[in-house]
Amino acid sequence: MPEKHLKKLSTSVSLRIALPALLTIFLFIVAIFFILLPELEQSFMSRKQETIKELTETVWSLLESYHEREVLGELSREEAQKRAILRIRTLRYGVEKKDYFWINDMHPNLIMHPYRTDLVGTDVSGFRDPNGKYLFKEFVEVVKQQGAGYVDYMWQWKDNPVKIAPKTSYIKGFPAWGWIIGTGIYINDVYAEIAAIRNKLTAISTFILFIVSLLALYSIRQSMLADRERMTIFREREGLMTSLAQSNERFRNLLETTSDWIWETDMGGRYTYSSPRLRNLLGYTPEEVLGKTMMDLASPRTRETLKNEFEALLAAEKPYSGFECTCLGKSGQVVVLENNAVPIFNGTERLLGYRGIARDITERKIAMEALKKSRDELHSSLEETVASLASTAEKRDPYTAGHQQRVDRLACAIAKELGLSEERIEGLHIAALLHDIGKITLPSEYLTKPTLLTREERAIIKCHPAVGYEILKTIHFPWPVADIVHQHHEHLDGSGYPLGLTETDILLEAKILAVADVVEAMSSHRPYRPALGVERAIEEIQEGRESRYHAPSVDACLRLIAEKKIEFVSEDWCPVFQ
């Protein structure tokens, strides 16, 4: 911008700031004193009139209640009217509690007036106010024509007979008795309140005018100070524009040489910009994909699978990351792209589209698939090894064949019911299949003895958890299988074996296995006794709940049995591993 034109522009800035401020002040004063105040006065007077109307209606309802009592025979008309007059004579309202109600009839005779007792009981048809208005006659005419209405006249100031002031009253006829009930407001009172409001608005307006004037002066001064800096700013502008052009060039070079594909789309996911890296990834030129979506580049199977998910990501109008899409290149090559994007909004928070990057992760996906296959093969090998070890233990104790598998199914079902993760349930599965592995070192005659064991024989049998621990502790499992096997006969109160552990020292998996083991053992046949039955097993774990056995595991087991989700004599599913 030429420096001469800049100086001319700076000279007019002060006027541009001052004139709107002065115009605003003028419009503010006009709005307050010529529009707002007249409307406020009219509204205020209307509200006052509505108030006396509501008060008159309320007292009229009081007359109605006494009339009903007359109709019902509770009171004579004379007694009802007398009570009504006594009640209404004492009614007061207003700030000074001096505003009142009066009653006259249709003659008119004044029946009740708290401040003009000299007129009570007299014919007031000839009574005139200082302006000559026959106000009581007008009351009667209004009631005859309308039933109720407003009347303006002059009357004494409340209880002061010397002071006369303009007044507006609302009167309403009570046909049952031929009465007219009324009350009113003094116009001077209303004008006094309006004057108070006007004075307050004047003070506020003056203050606002003063503040606005100060702000206008401050703005003009700041503008003049800013003018001194504008010259420097415009002199530096050329240098800044040059720097910006250089930065844009560096950004463009970076954009075109990065290994990731950078793109922009509209709100429907159609590409509106593509970096040249696309040619290296899929073989397309940037122009070839404009107007297409990611789904247009996807393989047919991927398009069918990801279409709904892709549309949901666009509709969410939120950043997304890690969205993988298997695409087909121009030559038919398969490329897996990982997409990360952020939404683009305009100034009104309306979605314009998305800006993101796509990264080739094909080699990573191939490596992950190979790793998964290797892991699955290792897991299958582990399962086979564990099954072989479990089978070895059962060959030493043919009477309990299948015991470890049934305990495994029940323990895994309990763990599933308790909400354990699949990883922990898998560790429990392995430990359950191997929990009696220590029995391979016990004399077979102990395991198959048809009579009760002696104390010494039972002591030897109780060594099998420790033996199992010694066998398994050197095997590297990703779970504490050896410890679970070691603890599966421990009780919460320390009465178990072989270590006499208490609740806080026992693994959760061992607590679950203990419940499953005792239920299955009591439900199955043994050489020295027939099966005790599921009912007896249930009684055992219920009696030992919280003392010997883990309460949540007991409750889960009972739910499984009650809902028939587990059968001990059938080939049940394992919640995780079948």
Side-chain angles (χ1 to χ4, degrees):
M1 181 182 292
E3 190 168 330
K4 182 178 180 180
H5 178 67
L6 180 61
K7 290 181 179 179
K8 183 179 180 181
L9 178 64
S10 299
T11 304
S12 64
V13 167
S14 299
L15 289 176
R16 293 181 183 181
I17 295 175
L19 287 177
L22 294 174
L23 181 60
T24 301
I25 295 169
F26 174 75
L27 292 177
F28 175 77
I29 293 173
V30 169
I32 289 292
F33 291 97
F34 295 96
I35 299 176
L36 181 59
L37 267 179
E39 288 290 335
L40 181 62
E41 291 177 4
Q42 182 62 38
S43 174
F44 195 77
M45 179 63 75
S46 298
R47 288 201 301 271
K48 287 291 187 179
Q49 290 179 338
E50 188 65 27
T51 299
I52 62 173
K53 178 181 177 181
E54 292 174 357
L55 290 171
T56 303
E57 295 282 356
T58 301
V59 175
W60 190 93
S61 299
L62 182 62
L63 292 177
E64 181 67 18
S65 66
Y66 281 105
H67 174 61
E68 289 178 0
R69 295 179 66 183
E70 173 197 345
V71 173
L72 294 173
E74 296 180 10
L75 299 171
S76 65
R77 172 167 292 194
E78 182 180 358
E79 182 63 24
Q81 291 178 343
K82 180 179 179 181
R83 292 191 181 189
I85 291 171
L86 290 174
R87 181 78 177 275
I88 296 172
R89 179 184 289 126
T90 59
L91 294 179
R92 298 289 185 276
Y93 64 93
V95 177
E96 299 177 349
K97 299 299 180 184
K98 290 185 178 182
D99 293 290
Y100 58 91
F101 299 88
W102 80 88
I103 304 172
N104 60 269
D105 60 18
M106 301 293 291
H107 178 68
N109 294 313
L110 188 60
I111 295 173
M112 188 278 294
H113 195 293
Y115 297 146
R116 292 301 302 266
T117 56
D118 57 311
L119 296 177
V120 173
T122 65
D123 181 355
V124 290
S125 58
F127 188 90
R128 293 185 297 174
D129 70 0
N131 293 331
K133 177 180 284 190
Y134 292 92
L135 56 115
F136 288 101
K137 282 186 177 182
E138 188 163 342
F139 293 163
V140 173
E141 288 302 317
V142 170
V143 170
K144 284 180 179 180
Q145 295 177 13
Q146 305 173 19
Y150 295 97
V151 178
D152 297 329
Y153 56 96
M154 302 291 289
W155 190 257
Q156 72 176 47
W157 181 266
K158 299 178 183 179
D159 58 348
N160 185 357
V162 177
K163 183 179 179 182
I164 304 299
K167 188 175 185 179
T168 295
S169 293
Y170 181 81
I171 46 102
K172 182 174 183 180
F174 187 69
W177 290 348
W179 285 6
I180 299 174
I181 182 74
T183 189
I185 55 172
Y186 291 95
I187 305 302
N188 292 344
D189 279 349
V190 178
Y191 288 157
E193 293 185 39
I194 293 175
I197 296 174
R198 183 186 294 109
N199 293 337
K200 185 178 293 186
L201 283 175
T202 301
I204 294 172
S205 302
T206 302
F207 177 75
I208 293 175
L209 179 62
F210 176 72
I211 295 298
V212 171
S213 300
L214 288 180
L215 291 175
L217 291 174
Y218 176 78
S219 299
I220 294 171
R221 182 176 182 276
Q222 291 299 114
S223 176
M224 294 176 66
L225 293 175
D227 289 343
R228 300 173 185 175
E229 298 179 5
R230 287 194 184 96
M231 297 301 296
T232 303
I233 293 174
F234 279 97
R235 290 190 188 102
E236 295 175 353
R237 182 175 180 274
E238 291 300 324
L240 292 175
M241 293 300 294
T242 301
S243 299
L244 180 60
Q246 293 173 351
S247 297
N248 287 336
E249 181 67 19
R250 286 194 296 269
F251 177 74
R252 187 180 65 81
N253 293 336
L254 179 63
L255 195 66
E256 294 178 354
T257 57
T258 181
S259 61
D260 294 329
W261 172 30
I262 299 174
W263 48 260
E264 287 186 1
T265 69
D266 61 16
M267 59 188 302
R270 293 175 288 272
Y271 292 109
T272 56
Y273 168 78
S274 170
S275 68
R277 178 62 180 170
L278 175 65
R279 188 189 300 274
N280 302 87
L281 292 179
L282 299 176
Y284 294 104
T285 63
E287 293 76 17
E288 288 178 301
V289 299
L290 297 182
K292 296 183 178 180
T293 70
M294 190 184 305
M295 294 298 101
D296 294 328
L297 304 178
S299 65
R301 180 178 298 179
T302 301
R303 186 183 307 121
E304 182 179 347
T305 305
L306 295 181
K307 182 179 178 181
N308 292 336
E309 183 180 351
F310 176 68
E311 292 176 352
L313 287 175
L314 296 179
E317 300 186 5
K318 295 180 179 179
Y320 63 85
S321 61
F323 179 70
E324 297 181 6
C325 181
T326 302
C327 300
L328 291 180
K330 191 172 184 179
S331 301
Q333 72 272 28
V334 176
V335 180
V336 182
L337 297 179
E338 180 185 72
N339 292 272
N340 303 307
V342 294
I344 307 171
F345 297 97
N346 63 9
T348 60
E349 295 301 314
R350 177 178 175 272
L351 180 68
L352 299 178
Y354 287 84
R355 179 182 296 119
I357 63 171
R359 180 168 297 168
D360 183 359
I361 59 169
T362 307
E363 293 183 2
R364 187 208 307 172
K365 294 294 290 185
I366 294 173
M368 289 178 64
E369 288 296 324
L371 182 62
K372 182 178 182 297
K373 181 179 179 181
S374 175
R375 187 198 67 182
D376 292 343
E377 291 175 352
L378 286 173
H379 187 271
S380 177
S381 176
L382 175 62
E383 285 282 342
E384 293 173 358
T385 303
V386 169
S388 297
L389 288 173
S391 176
T392 301
E394 286 187 347
K395 291 184 185 305
R396 295 278 297 160
D397 188 6
Y399 287 98
T400 59
H403 165 70
Q404 295 181 123
Q405 286 78 10
R406 290 191 294 272
V407 170
D408 168 38
R409 287 194 291 272
L410 179 55
C412 289
I414 293 172
K416 184 78 172 179
E417 191 77 7
L418 293 179
L420 268 67
S421 66
E422 292 190 2
E423 182 180 358
R424 293 186 71 178
I425 295 177
E426 185 173 4
L428 175 60
H429 163 62
I430 300 297
L433 289 176
L434 298 175
H435 76 278
D436 280 341
I437 190 67
K439 289 184 177 180
I440 63 176
T441 64
L442 300 179
S444 58
E445 58 269 21
Y446 289 3
L447 302 175
T448 59
K449 186 176 180 181
T451 59
L452 293 175
L453 299 174
T454 66
R455 179 181 301 176
E456 292 77 11
E457 290 169 341
R458 284 199 303 272
I460 293 174
I461 291 291
K462 288 184 177 181
C463 293
H464 78 274
V467 175
Y469 173 74
E470 292 298 325
I471 293 172
L472 299 173
K473 71 177 183 180
T474 57
I475 302 175
H476 178 68
F477 290 105
W479 319 278
V481 173
D483 291 321
I484 297 171
V485 170
H486 202 190
Q487 299 174 9
H488 78 277
H489 276 298
E490 300 289 351
H491 292 160
L492 304 183
D493 58 4
S495 62
Y497 63 86
L499 302 174
L501 301 178
T502 56
E503 179 177 6
T504 55
D505 300 319
I506 305 172
L507 295 173
L508 175 58
E509 291 86 344
K511 296 174 183 177
I512 296 172
L513 186 57
V515 172
D517 189 31
V518 71
V519 171
E520 199 289 326
M522 295 183 72
S523 303
S524 304
H525 292 285
R526 290 292 182 267
Y528 54 86
R529 61 154 174 82
L532 299 177
V534 177
E535 292 77 9
R536 181 67 188 89
I538 290 175
E539 290 178 8
E540 167 63 21
I541 61 175
Q542 284 179 330
E543 291 173 359
R545 184 181 181 277
E546 291 188 339
S547 60
R548 297 188 300 279
Y549 307 116
H550 183 230
S553 299
V554 171
D555 297 338
C557 181
L558 294 176
R559 284 197 301 272
L560 290 170
I561 296 172
E563 298 172 9
K564 297 184 178 180
K565 291 183 179 179
I566 194 78
E567 295 285 348
F568 304 125
V569 294
S570 63
E571 293 299 324
D572 296 295
W573 50 270
C574 174
V576 178
F577 305 102
Q578 190 159 335

